[in-house]
């Protein structure tokens, strides 16, 4: 019933989830050691295969298909004791940031049901925000974990490219796609990361990923932490609430001892300009050569994704090569940045979410602006460089949460998680519950 309110799930696997929970109880009663996620209810973004669940990847081009086995990330979650509740709604093939579809069904934002939840992991973010599950799987190609995490006021972990296996899931742009998680606590994010990170022979990107070393605990020393705040944010138009939130966050971090200073980060606008042809060329290849759904089934695509496919068909080899060169330059820029700062903090987007009635546009300082132009310049630099990032809520804009992202060097997920955990203990990170949270419902 609650899912009907939010539209967060595509498939709810009640019977299997109940059987797995019962078996887990028996195993624990017989002395088995609990896994890192024993008994945790998890939703899985529908771009990852879940045995027995809808396998359409959010598209009518794959209507009535069912997954035959679990994706590797789902397999590892199950082995850690997680109970897979079902599959959460994604924007079609992950190619959009609203999680709306004209005919197939859409997801609503638990903070305001007239607003979109972001995307493409919108179902996962909404399910966590509303309290339908404790943890959800997402993926991030150009902001698809961080944008919905920001819009729905939850924590989001985008991992380093190649850190977690993508095997058993559909790709949007292979050079950028990274699995990750959404939750309301750093403890759950950490457990999910530890349970799933590592090499997988079925995903070549993961072969050389370094082994994860779990934290040994102890108090985090903020006096040793150097936090860079991007001075490139000036190229993004921000309203007063977001500017105030940035200042307040910096002041709170200084109070607990962190060194906070402005730093030159990759330019968001230039990054977005390079990202678009790079991502489009790869997505066009996936749909025409791997999935083979385009152009054969073009009429079955949602109008927004079909329009992007038509533009993607026109990307030239030169544009793609130039975009890859820019991506390398942005990666180098980040590496230089991390010689001076341990992490970089930036705001996620210029605005809050768009309305369900006009999902592709928002008002930015009084002007009608494409939602993609409002959000993605702030998120794609990390994708171009393949870097990990944690999104967390801080402050409000028109009664909706504002999201910030903390980015670190390659494979620094545990460092970021430790910082976020310490910020949580200090009260700087506090994940709010929306008015529609199921704990508040009769």
């Amino acid at each position: 019933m609650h899912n009907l309110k939010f539209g967060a799930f595509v498939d709810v696997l009640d019977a299997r989830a109940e059987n797995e929970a019962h078996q887990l109880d028996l195993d624990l009663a017989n002395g088995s050691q609990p896994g890192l996620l024993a008994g945790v209810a998890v939703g899985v973004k529908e771009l990852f295969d879940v045995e027995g669940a809808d396998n359409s990847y959010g598209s009518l081009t794959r209507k009535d298909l069912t997954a035959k086995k679990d994706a590797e990330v789902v397999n590892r979650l199950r082995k850690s004791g997680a109970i897979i509740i079902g599959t959460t709604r994604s924007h079609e093939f992950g190619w959009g940031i609203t999680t709306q579809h004209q005919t197939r069904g859409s997801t609503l934002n638990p903070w305001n049901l007239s607003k979109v939840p972001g995307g493409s992991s919108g179902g996962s973010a909404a399910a966590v925000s509303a309290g339908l599950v404790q943890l959800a799987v997402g993926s991030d190609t150009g902001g698809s974990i961080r944008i919905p995490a920001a819009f729905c006021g939850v924590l989001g972990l985008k991992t380093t490219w190649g850190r977690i296996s993508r095997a058993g899931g559909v790709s949007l742009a292979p050079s950028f796609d990274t699995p990750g998680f959404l939750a309301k606590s750093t403890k759950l994010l950490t457990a999910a990361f530890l349970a799933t990170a590592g090499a997988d022979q079925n995903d070549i990107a993961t072969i050389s990923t370094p082994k994860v070393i779990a934290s040994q605990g102890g108090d985090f020393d903020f006096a040793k932490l150097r936090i860079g705040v991007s001075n490139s944010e000036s190229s993004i138009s921000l309203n007063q609430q977001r500017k105030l939130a940035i200042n307040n966050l910096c002041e709170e971090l200084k109070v607990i001892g962190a060194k906070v200073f402005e730093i030159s980060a990759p330019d968001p606008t230039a990054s977005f300009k390079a990202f678009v042809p790079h991502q489009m060329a790869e997505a066009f290849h996936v749909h025409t050569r791997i999935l083979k759904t385009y152009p054969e089934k073009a009429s079955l695509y949602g109008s927004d994704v079909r329009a992007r496919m038509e533009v993607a068909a026109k990307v030239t080899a030169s544009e793609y090569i130039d975009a890859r060169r820019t991506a390398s330059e942005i990666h180098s820029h980040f590496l230089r940045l991390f010689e001076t700062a341990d992490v970089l903090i930036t705001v996620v987007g210029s605005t809050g979410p768009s309305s369900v009635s006009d999902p592709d546009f928002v008002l930015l300082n009084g002007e009608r602006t494409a939602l993609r132009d409002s959000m993605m310049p702030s998120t794609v630099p990390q994708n171009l460089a393949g870097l990990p990032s944690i999104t967390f809520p801080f402050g409000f804009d028109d009664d909706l949460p504002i999201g910030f992202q903390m980015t670190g060097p390659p494979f620094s997920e545990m460092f970021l998680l430790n910082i976020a955990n310490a910020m949580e203990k200090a009260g700087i990170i506090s994940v709010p519950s929306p008015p529609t949270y199921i704990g508040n419902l009769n």
Side-chain angles (χ1 to χ4, degrees):
M1 179 172 66
H2 296 315
N3 184 52
L4 295 177
K5 186 180 186 71
F6 307 109
F9 279 86
V10 177
D11 254 352
V12 178
L13 307 174
D14 287 338
R16 179 169 180 176
E18 289 176 6
N19 288 337
E20 290 180 354
H22 179 65
Q23 186 60 52
L24 177 63
D25 288 340
L26 292 177
D27 291 342
L28 293 177
N30 290 328
S32 295
Q33 291 298 311
L36 288 170
L37 293 167
V40 173
V42 177
V44 178
K45 184 178 183 178
E46 63 177 317
L47 301 190
F48 296 93
D49 298 351
V50 174
E51 183 183 355
D54 177 280
N55 198 220
S56 66
Y57 300 143
S59 178
L60 294 176
T61 65
R62 292 174 56 85
K63 185 180 178 181
D64 297 329
L65 294 179
T66 301
K68 293 180 172 57
K69 65 177 183 178
D70 289 336
E72 180 60 21
V73 66
V74 178
N75 178 47
R76 294 187 184 189
L77 288 170
R78 288 194 196 276
K79 287 182 177 178
S80 72
I83 306 298
I84 307 301
I85 300 299
T87 53
T88 57
R89 195 172 299 283
S90 167
H91 203 106
E92 183 177 9
F93 287 118
W95 205 349
I97 59 172
T98 64
T99 316
Q100 307 295 295
H101 195 281
Q102 293 159 310
T103 59
R104 192 176 172 274
S106 300
T107 304
L108 307 180
N109 191 321
W111 281 90
N112 183 331
L113 298 181
S114 71
K115 300 290 186 179
V116 305
S120 60
S121 307
S124 288
V128 170
S129 178
L132 301 178
V133 291
Q134 298 159 276
L135 175 73
V137 179
S139 62
D140 197 306
T141 302
S144 287
I145 287 174
R146 291 161 291 156
I147 293 170
F151 282 178
C152 294
V154 298
L155 302 175
L157 173 63
K158 175 208 175 299
T159 56
T160 306
W161 185 83
R163 184 58 120 165
I164 295 177
S165 175
R166 302 164 298 177
V170 70
S171 187
L172 175 58
S175 292
F176 304 135
D177 300 335
T178 53
F181 305 97
L182 299 103
K184 282 198 169 189
S185 74
T186 56
K187 180 180 179 180
L188 277 179
L189 280 187
T190 303
F193 173 70
L194 290 172
T196 57
D200 174 25
Q201 62 179 357
N202 293 314
D203 183 355
I204 193 171
T206 69
I207 298 303
S208 60
T209 188
K211 185 176 180 179
V212 176
I213 300 176
S215 170
Q216 298 303 308
D219 294 330
F220 188 89
D221 188 356
F222 279 100
K224 296 180 180 179
L225 183 63
R226 304 170 301 169
I227 299 176
V229 178
S230 174
N231 61 13
S232 297
E233 295 297 300
S234 59
S235 69
I236 298 178
S237 181
L238 300 176
N239 62 20
Q240 284 303 119
Q241 290 92 333
R242 277 170 155 64
K243 291 178 182 177
L244 179 62
I246 292 173
N247 291 335
N248 289 343
L249 176 60
C250 290
E251 288 306 311
E252 291 202 23
L253 288 167
K254 289 176 183 177
V255 166
I256 59 174
K259 299 177 180 66
V260 182
F261 50 91
E262 282 197 348
I263 198 166
S264 175
D267 179 76
T269 303
S271 297
F272 188 38
K273 183 178 179 181
F275 173 83
V276 171
H278 196 316
Q279 182 254 11
M280 280 192 162
E282 294 195 5
F284 187 76
H285 174 79
V286 168
H287 284 255
T288 57
R289 299 297 181 88
I290 300 174
L291 295 173
K292 297 181 179 179
T293 48
Y294 189 87
E296 289 82 355
K297 297 182 179 181
S299 64
L300 296 177
Y301 281 81
S303 59
D304 58 337
V305 176
R306 183 170 61 249
R308 290 177 195 126
M309 200 71 69
E310 292 167 355
V311 175
K314 300 174 184 177
V315 175
T316 67
S318 294
E319 288 173 326
Y320 179 65
I321 291 169
D322 286 344
R324 287 185 64 89
R325 183 181 299 113
T326 300
S328 296
E329 293 169 354
I330 289 170
H331 184 259
S332 296
H333 190 154
F334 269 116
L335 294 183
R336 292 194 301 273
L337 179 157
F338 291 125
E339 293 175 359
T340 304
D342 298 310
V343 296
L344 173 73
I345 288 182
T346 52
V347 68
V348 179
S350 300
T351 67
S354 57
S355 65
V356 171
S357 60
D358 190 19
D360 294 324
F361 293 90
V362 287
L363 281 179
L364 176 55
N365 294 327
E367 294 187 9
R368 192 166 186 264
T369 303
L371 181 65
R372 292 170 65 84
D373 294 341
S374 164
M375 300 306 300
M376 294 183 69
S378 68
T379 57
V380 297
Q382 286 80 359
N383 298 100
L384 290 167
L387 299 178
S389 184
I390 289 181
T391 299
F392 58 91
F394 186 89
F396 288 85
D397 180 0
D398 195 22
D399 296 324
L400 295 169
I402 298 173
F404 285 84
Q405 60 183 335
M406 178 167 55
T407 303
F411 303 108
S412 63
E413 287 90 350
M414 281 308 307
F415 181 54
L416 293 173
L417 287 162
N418 290 339
I419 296 171
N421 179 255
M423 290 171 64
E424 198 174 51
K425 290 179 179 177
I428 296 175
I429 291 178
S430 179
V431 178
S433 293
T436 57
Y437 186 70
I438 62 171
N440 299 333
L441 297 176
N442 295 322

